Amino acid sequence: MGRRSDHSRAELREIIISEGHRQMQEVGFARFSAREVAKRIGYSIGTVYNVFGSHDGLILAINGRTLELWLGYLEARLNLVEPGGDRLARAIDAYFEFAIANRHAWAALYDFRLPNDVEPPDHYRERVAAIVAAVEREVAAVLAAPRKSEALKLTRSLLATVHGHCFFALNGTFRMLGETDPLAAARARVDDALEGYR
Amino acid sequence: MGRRSDHSRAELREIIISEGHRQMQEVGFARFSAREVAKRIGYSIGTVYNVFGSHDGLILAINGRTLELWLGYLEARLNLVEPGGDRLARAIDAYFEFAIANRHAWAALYDFRLPNDVEPPDHYRERVAAIVAAVEREVAAVLAAPRKSEALKLTRSLLATVHGHCFFALNGTFRMLGETDPLAAARARVDDALEGYR
DNA sequence: ACTTTTTTATGATCAGTGTTCAATATAGCG
DNA sequence: CGCTATATTGAACACTGATCATAAAAAAGT
């Protein structure tokens, strides 16, 4: 067969990413298959490789989509906070809620590792940066004026803290250790950290 | 062929785990292959399945070995701390040092996920518990007497905190975000948390 | 309208994987 | 020494990521 132009290149990209993301969320990183995605959208495996170049390229695009959705969720959640509400606590909630509602797609963000000598593509870096920036705004809002310059450094560390708790919550470590309220623990650690910066 | 009894069952287990662990550390979880392990030890793939039942069984055994080594490293490190030294800070160092020195084997601990309805085997749970207990001792030693009963709960949360920092350090997230001293950040978060418990 | 060129989609093909299991070779027992 | 229980094998199966000559369709040229 030759070019069908049922879909433009951009449409095709979108179709593959969309179905790929659905697949990822359904079966998880370990069982994800590019061939299966091709089958489901009615294109051949070769077409997927034409568009994304490699398995890794496809996964990066799917993970990029997950980051987009994550940022969207975080912003929507923050928009619901009434004036005077604890916006940072709600951001932590959003971290957990998104990860739980999108277990497999979220986990794929960390299951996939680029070869050590390869940098993630710009679109990917930008999306991560956007999420960090959204959190940084909330962290900065809570810091005492003379310490606001430390907001980014602190934000990175708080994200790692929350990530650790969320990861242990989802991968079963906390259940194994008898912890029943990981979210509360994460909030407590963030509060502890902010104590000295107020 | 039939039984060669070059090695007893226990010896065979050890040979496979040992070579499997080496493989895991060399190529990482994504490229790990049971067939390759079999090839390298001069047994057939069937034998590996006889001994471990499945790919997952083999990986659990290898990850169990990693946990063993990790506990050993942690204990050795703590034994070097002179009286009056900051034992908890050295435990955090040990977390990072082991993960860095054993990147792939350490990452495999988290890359591998059991099906949701399957519990990890006892030997695995026990090894995780042993590591937690070793850290808990150090946490308890630092707590004010009336709060020592909270040691386990706090330990779980501190482990998650350190894990998050270590994970971001090794998977490139911190580099991407411009953080150059993840270990210091982890220590700072732990100190912040302990502040209220002293 | 009819070539010619360029682009795009295909799927057979290759090398690899996890997994199964009938066939077989051996160790140890009677 | 023969027999049986058991350990070991590797071919077979169904899948995977990846490649690329082939063919079809669109676009450009005449």
Side-chain angles (χ1 to χ4, degrees), chain B residues 1-190:
Chain B
M1 294 232 195
R3 107 167 138 203
R4 317 189 303 197
S5 84
D6 289 357
H7 306 100
S8 73
R9 216 75 209 291
E11 283 170 338
L12 201 42
R13 253 193 90 85
E14 173 55 31
I15 290 168
I16 297 173
I17 291 177
S18 175
E19 178 57 34
H21 191 268
R22 188 200 324 288
Q23 273 298 303
M24 185 65 85
Q25 174 56 22
E26 242 177 57
V27 307
F29 182 80
R31 292 174 203 238
F32 178 86
S33 150
R35 288 179 114 100
E36 184 62 28
V37 172
K39 202 176 290 175
R40 297 230 184 175
I41 61 171
Y43 274 85
S44 77
I45 178 61
T47 296
V48 173
Y49 272 78
N50 281 347
V51 176
F52 292 97
S54 69
H55 191 232
D56 287 10
L58 174 56
I59 298 224
L60 271 171
I62 290 170
N63 282 355
R65 169 62 50 88
T66 302
L67 290 176
E68 247 175 60
L69 295 171
W70 200 4
L71 177 61
Y73 185 82
L74 173 61
E75 286 175 336
R77 195 74 169 70
L78 286 174
N79 283 339
L80 295 179
V81 180
E82 67 276 13
D86 188 341
R87 296 176 62 84
L88 200 44
R90 294 299 79 72
I92 299 171
D93 294 348
Y95 202 110
F96 273 71
E97 287 160 6
F98 184 86
I100 289 167
N102 305 274
R103 296 184 76 91
H104 288 141
W106 180 80
L109 254 18
Y110 307 101
D111 288 334
F112 174 65
R113 241 143 9 240
L114 235 21
N116 237 325
D117 50 352
V118 179
E119 290 294 311
D122 286 347
H123 71 82
Y124 194 91
R125 302 171 59 103
E126 282 160 17
R127 282 164 197 180
V128 172
I131 291 176
V132 174
V135 177
E136 189 189 353
R137 277 194 292 278
E138 306 307 328
V139 170
V142 165
L143 298 189
R147 309 205 65 175
K148 287 209 195 290
S149 67
E150 298 167 64
L152 176 56
K153 188 164 184 58
L154 182 56
T155 299
R156 290 188 295 239
S157 181
L158 294 182
L159 277 171
T161 300
V162 173
H163 177 80
H165 284 75
C166 191
F167 195 89
F168 276 8
L170 290 203
N171 86 343
T173 300
F174 270 146
R175 182 161 30 91
M176 190 157 98
L177 299 181
E179 173 59 68
T180 56
D181 196 348
L183 178 51
R187 288 210 209 97
R189 287 315 126 249
V190 170

Side-chain angles (χ1 to χ4, degrees), chain A residues 139-159:
Chain A
V139 170
V142 165
L143 297 190
R147 310 205 65 174
K148 286 210 196 292
S149 68
E150 298 167 64
L152 176 56
K153 188 163 184 57
L154 182 57
T155 298
R156 290 188 297 239
S157 181
L158 294 182
L159 277 171

Side-chain angles (χ1 to χ4, degrees), chain A residues 117-138:
Chain A
D117 50 351
V118 179
E119 290 294 309
D122 286 345
H123 71 81
Y124 193 91
R125 302 172 58 103
E126 283 161 16
R127 283 166 197 178
V128 172
I131 291 176
V132 174
V135 176
E136 189 189 353
R137 278 194 291 279
E138 307 307 328

Side-chain angles (χ1 to χ4, degrees), chain A:
Chain A
M1 295 228 195
R3 102 168 143 208
R4 318 189 303 199
S5 85
D6 289 359
H7 306 100
S8 74
R9 201 68 171 184
E11 284 171 336
L12 199 43
R13 253 193 89 85
E14 172 56 31
I15 290 169
I16 297 173
I17 291 177
S18 174
E19 177 58 34
H21 191 268
R22 188 199 324 286
Q23 273 299 303
M24 185 65 85
Q25 174 56 21
E26 241 177 58
V27 307
F29 182 80
R31 293 174 201 233
F32 178 86
S33 150
R35 289 180 113 101
E36 183 62 28
V37 172
K39 201 176 292 174
R40 297 230 184 176
I41 61 171
Y43 274 85
S44 76
I45 178 63
T47 296
V48 172
Y49 272 80
N50 282 348
V51 176
F52 292 97
S54 68
H55 192 233
D56 286 10
L58 174 55
I59 298 220
L60 272 170
I62 291 170
N63 282 354
R65 170 61 50 88
T66 303
L67 290 176
E68 248 175 59
L69 295 171
W70 200 3
L71 177 60
Y73 185 82
L74 173 60
E75 286 175 337
R77 195 74 170 71
L78 286 174
N79 283 339
L80 296 179
V81 180
E82 68 276 11
D86 187 343
R87 296 177 61 84
L88 199 45
R90 295 299 79 74
I92 299 171
D93 294 348
Y95 202 109
F96 273 71
E97 287 160 6
F98 184 86
I100 289 168
N102 305 274
R103 296 185 75 91
H104 288 141
W106 181 81
L109 254 18
Y110 307 101
D111 288 335
F112 174 66
R113 240 142 13 234
L114 234 22
N116 237 326
D117 50 351
V118 179
E119 290 294 309
D122 286 345
H123 71 81
Y124 193 91
R125 302 172 58 103
E126 283 161 16
R127 283 166 197 178
V128 172
I131 291 176
V132 174
V135 176
E136 189 189 353
R137 278 194 291 279
E138 307 307 328
V139 170
V142 165
L143 297 190
R147 310 205 65 174
K148 286 210 196 292
S149 68
E150 298 167 64
L152 176 56
K153 188 163 184 57
L154 182 57
T155 298
R156 290 188 297 239
S157 181
L158 294 182
L159 277 171
T161 300
V162 172
H163 177 80
H165 284 77
C166 191
F167 194 90
F168 276 8
L170 290 204
N171 86 344
T173 300
F174 270 146
R175 183 163 27 92
M176 189 157 98
L177 299 181
E179 174 59 66
T180 56
D181 195 349
L183 178 52
R187 287 209 209 97
R189 291 296 88 40
V190 170
D191 283 348
D192 291 347
L194 289 173
E195 200 54 48
Y197 285 84
R198 291 198 142 100

